[in-house]
């Protein structure tokens, strides 16, 4: 498989720079090559840059008579589907501790864990040529090409199962006005311990209509056969893609941070990074849970009820037994949280300010501090 | 009106089309078009307020149901996940209307028509069937002309109307194409300013204005022009400010700050200000900076200020105390948890360094570095933000000399540090020398602290900083 960089491709299509209309360089280059099939591979392992590149291609490249395959992988990140609830899907505390970012993609589907041992494949087509089964066949044929006796099968739900039981690939798709893309993961050598740790939510009592992930047992292809590493698999899929669709495209490397050839991409990556997109786009939900409050001498049970819309706390009711903490205090604290983001940092700041103005009594302070800590922990 | 000639009729028809475009986009009607330069003009008063011309009539726009089209793969139903519009919103063709989901695929549904949303057929999370109406859109009213029939080829009302001209694909809605065709404009010559280089009606109008020299109605956000001057009096056109006040409900952090500051100002403050000569400290820091950076820590002046404050508090523990609400009891806090007011992305936060009495200057620097990193990314936690007993504010890093800081309850004292200025000062030999001077402004709770205490504390703090070597004697 010939690897060519984008600049090489440009050199071969000098005509793009003479184009009269102000077109983006990558789009122009693709048009000028006149090819109907193209394979791109990302030079970046940043989840936001890569997702932005997917969007960019979807919005700017003319896919009416053209297909594209995009190969990419990322440093550890958790990616949730367009309509999912991150509090329900993953362990945000562990992710914060380990510095694993959360990203919300624009396609539907469930939550996945990405790391460098996971390969992502995106198939871009026109809306007419959107065919997920055909794309998955490319993947299964590619794998069978490497190991003919490996049992890999695509299911009705567009998963790929190894030996009929372990999931090695999940799928999601996005359809726009005229174009569509279908992307899927492929587990080659991902960190399974980390995967299980981050994909288990600790937030209880969530009531939501968000799309819920369906957990499945997973396995790495590397465990099945040590010769199956990410690069081998990517090459094989690219090759099979050419065969299946009758193209002869080499793999071209793309830098998703190149603003000159991809105008507007940095703004797109910033949008994907913003809290308003990642957390703020969560469908309306409510939290209803009880928790324990402890201090040196006593324990009690408190309840928390919150309604959250667009990631902002709309209503909040924290009830603590009046013998443990004065009712006015917990009520006032609840009122302070309304209108704020469901974010531990913002809540910490509000709690810190709130704690300044409560009556100065060591025991009361400690109890109130415990309550604040506990509420922040839930976020 | 027999005087209307064909030339002026064409001109007026253009105006009407432009006017219709204006109406459709709900822009502000701004005065009458200037006809004076056109030789055959008939002045038609109230053109903009009237929608009737004698050879044309207006039909009301039909309300068209926009059906959910086939998604592919034999999918018959989807779940509506998010609406981007609501009833009464204006939409243009290709604007996003809603997001639906089916079987792991998220689909953006875009509008087929320009118009106003009249009805949404489904709620969020409802199941919508393919082929059933999704929204009702009231499309634009048509202005039909009986005279001057222009032969135009039948326009298909496809979603993608592409036109291949010289190998370029130009995108434009059918309405725009008609406008161009009627005015004999080649779309390839017009620069599109819409999404994906799409040609909008504005682009055609701009092109027309340049090409024919025709005077078109002024753009909507033009200044309101006074009537043409009859006499030679110069009339000053006053720009009208169209900004609006906006009111927001105070919430979250700001609400909490209001409470804190209201409580703070109940404390009777007194102020004490002084000047500190930091020449020797500047020298010391220069020497130690390299060593600190070798250990991976950025060393500023703050660790010295904080440590000196802690050494001072050992002698004046009343400044590290707290009173209860009824001001009956005073609690002397054992730990020196010295807070540093920081300007972060979340606003003004005051994280504190715990137990400064046990830390070395280097260790304080390490803590400050950690808090600054967290502050920059908006990730300071409850532990860092609570439990402070004394505060320093380095407002001088932004600017300023003297300040009047407000005590942060439940503390009883606070210091604000101005900027370090290089100023001439007299030394002990009556010579004028270059000195690095910083101003400090202290505020304290006058209910329990008196001026003398504050002055003595300030002097001690100042002495440590003016002569850093003396800190070595008292370091534990």
């Amino acid at each position: 498989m010939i690897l060519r960089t984008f600049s090489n491709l440009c050199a071969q299509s000098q005509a793009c720079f003479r184009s009269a209309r102000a077109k983006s360089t990558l789009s122009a280059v693709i048009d000028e090559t006149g090819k109907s099939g193209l394979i791109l591979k990302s030079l970046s392992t940043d989840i936001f840059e890569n997702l932005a590149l997917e969007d960019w291609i979807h919005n700017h490249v003319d896919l009416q008579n053209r297909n594209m395959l995009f190969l990419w992988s990322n440093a550890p990140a958790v990616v949730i589907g367009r309509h999912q609830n991150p509090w329900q899907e993953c362990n945000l505390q562990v992710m914060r501790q380990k510095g694993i970012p959360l990203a919300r993609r624009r396609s539907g589907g469930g939550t996945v864990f990405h790391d460098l041992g996971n390969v992502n494949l995106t198939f871009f087509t026109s809306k007419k040529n959107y065919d997920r089964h055909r794309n998955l066949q490319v993947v299964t044929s590619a794998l069978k090409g490497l190991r003919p006796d490996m049992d890999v099968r695509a299911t009705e739900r567009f998963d790929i199962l190894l030996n009929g039981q372990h999931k090695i690939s999940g799928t999601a798709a996005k359809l726009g006005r005229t174009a569509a893309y279908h992307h899927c993961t492929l587990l080659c050598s991902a960190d399974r311990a980390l995967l299980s740790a981050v994909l288990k939510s600790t937030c209880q009592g969530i009531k939501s209509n968000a799309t819920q992930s369906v957990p499945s047992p997973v396995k790495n292809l590397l465990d099945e056969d040590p010769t199956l590493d990410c690069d081998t698999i990517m090459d094989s899929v690219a090759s099979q893609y050419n065969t299946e669709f009758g193209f002869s495209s080499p793999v071209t490397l793309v830098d998703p941070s190149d603003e000159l050839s991809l105008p507007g991409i940095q703004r797109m990556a910033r949008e994907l990074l913003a809290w308003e997109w990642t957390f703020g786009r969560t469908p309306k939900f409510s939290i209803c849970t009880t928790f324990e409050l402890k201090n040196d001498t006593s324990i009690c049970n408190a309840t928390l009820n919150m309604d959250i819309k667009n990631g902002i706390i709309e209503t909040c009711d924290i009830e603590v037994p009046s013998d443990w903490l004065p009712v006015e205090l917990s009520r006032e604290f609840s009122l302070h949280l309304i209108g704020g983001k469901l974010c531990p940092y913002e809540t910490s700041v509000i709690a810190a300010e709130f704690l300044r103005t409560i009556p100065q009594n060591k025991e009361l302070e400690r109890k109130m501090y415990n309550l604040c800590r506990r509420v922040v922990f839930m976020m | 009106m027999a005087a209307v000639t064909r030339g002026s009729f064409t001109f007026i028809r253009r105006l009407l089309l432009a006017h219709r475009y204006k109406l459709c986009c709900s822009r502000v009607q701004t005065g009458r078009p200037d006809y004076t330069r056109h030789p055959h003009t008939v002045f038609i008063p109230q053109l903009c307020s009237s929608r009737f011309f004698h050879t044309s009539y207006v039909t009301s726009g039909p309300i068209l149901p926009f059906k959910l089209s086939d998604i592919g793969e034999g999918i018959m139903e989807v779940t509506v996940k998010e609406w981007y519009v609501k009833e009464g919103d204006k939409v243009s063709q290709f604007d996003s209307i809603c997001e639906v989901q089916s079987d792991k695929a998220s689909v953006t549904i875009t509008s087929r028509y320009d118009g106003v949303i009249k009805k949404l057929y489904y709620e969020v999370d409802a199941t919508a069937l393919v082929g059933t109406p999704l929204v009702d859109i009231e499309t634009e009213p048509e202005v039909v002309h009986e005279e001057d029939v222009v032969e135009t080829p039948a326009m298909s009302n496809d979603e993608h109307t592409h036109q291949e001209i010289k190998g370029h694909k130009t995108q434009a809605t059918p309405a725009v194409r008609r406008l161009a065709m009627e005015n004999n404009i080649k779309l390839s010559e017009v620069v599109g300013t819409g999404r994906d280089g799409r040609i909008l009606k504005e682009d055609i109008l701009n092109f027309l204005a340049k090409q024919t020299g025709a005077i078109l109605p002024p753009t909507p956000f033009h200044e309101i022009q006074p009537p043409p001057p009859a006499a030679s009096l110069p009339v000053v056109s006053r720009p009208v400010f169209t900004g609006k006040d906006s009111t927001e409900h105070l919430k979250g952090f700001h609400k909490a700050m209001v409470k804190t500051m209201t409580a703070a100002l109940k404390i009777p403050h007194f102020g004490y200000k002084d000047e500190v000569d930091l020449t020797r400290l500047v020298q010391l820091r220069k020497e130690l900076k390299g060593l600190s950076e070798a250990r991976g820590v950025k060393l500023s002046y703050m660790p010295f200020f904080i440590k000196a404050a802690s050494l001072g508090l050992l002698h004046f523990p009343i400044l590290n105390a707290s009173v209860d609400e009824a001001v009956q009891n005073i609690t002397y806090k054992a730990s020196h948890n010295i807070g540093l007011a920081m300007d972060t992305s979340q606003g003004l936060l005051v994280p504190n360094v715990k137990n400064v009495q046990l830390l070395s200057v280097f260790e304080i620097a390490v803590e400050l570095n950690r808090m600054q990193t967290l502050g920059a990314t908006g990730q300071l936690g409850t532990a860092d933000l609570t439990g402070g007993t004394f505060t320093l504010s380095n407002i001088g890093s932004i600017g300023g000399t003297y300040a009047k800081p407000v005590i942060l309850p439940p503390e009883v004292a606070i210091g604000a540090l101005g900027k370090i200025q290089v100023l001439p000062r007299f030394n002990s030999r009556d010579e004028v020398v270059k000195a690095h001077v910083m101003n400090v402004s202290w505020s304290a709770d006058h209910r329990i602290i008196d001026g003398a205490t504050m002055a003595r504390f300030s002097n001690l703090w100042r002495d440590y900083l003016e002569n850093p070597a003396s800190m070595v004697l008292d370091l534990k």
Side-chain angles (χ1 to χ4, degrees), chain A residues 198-210:
Chain A
V198 296
L199 291 185
K200 199 196 314 222
S201 166
T202 50
C203 207
Q204 288 164 342
I206 294 185
K207 266 185 250 166
S208 149
N209 282 331

Side-chain angles (χ1 to χ4, degrees), chain A residues 258-295:
Chain A
D258 184 355
E259 184 73 19
L260 285 172
S261 17
L262 308 161
I265 196 160
Q266 289 187 354
R267 183 188 50 85
M268 289 166 100
R270 273 197 304 270
E271 268 174 32
L272 289 167
L273 258 170
W275 191 95
E276 282 68 26
W277 171 257
T278 334
F279 290 95
R281 278 307 238 252
T282 309
K284 203 161 60 165
F285 69 103
S286 61
I287 303 180
C288 178
T289 179
T290 48
F291 54 95
E292 243 179 31
L293 286 171
K294 273 188 243 190
N295 75 351

Side-chain angles (χ1 to χ4, degrees), chain B residues 198-248:
Chain B
R198 199 154 27 117
I199 299 171
L200 306 173
K201 285 173 197 172
E202 278 162 312
D203 301 323
I204 304 280
L205 294 176
N206 286 334
F207 187 83
L208 269 175
K210 279 188 222 141
Q211 213 187 36
T212 64
I215 296 139
L216 297 170
T219 54
F221 292 112
H222 205 57
E223 299 171 3
I224 293 176
Q225 298 284 11
S232 55
L233 276 171
V235 180
V236 174
S237 84
R238 286 175 175 281
V240 176
F241 180 60
T242 49
K244 282 202 202 110
D245 291 345
S246 79
T247 308
E248 268 178 15

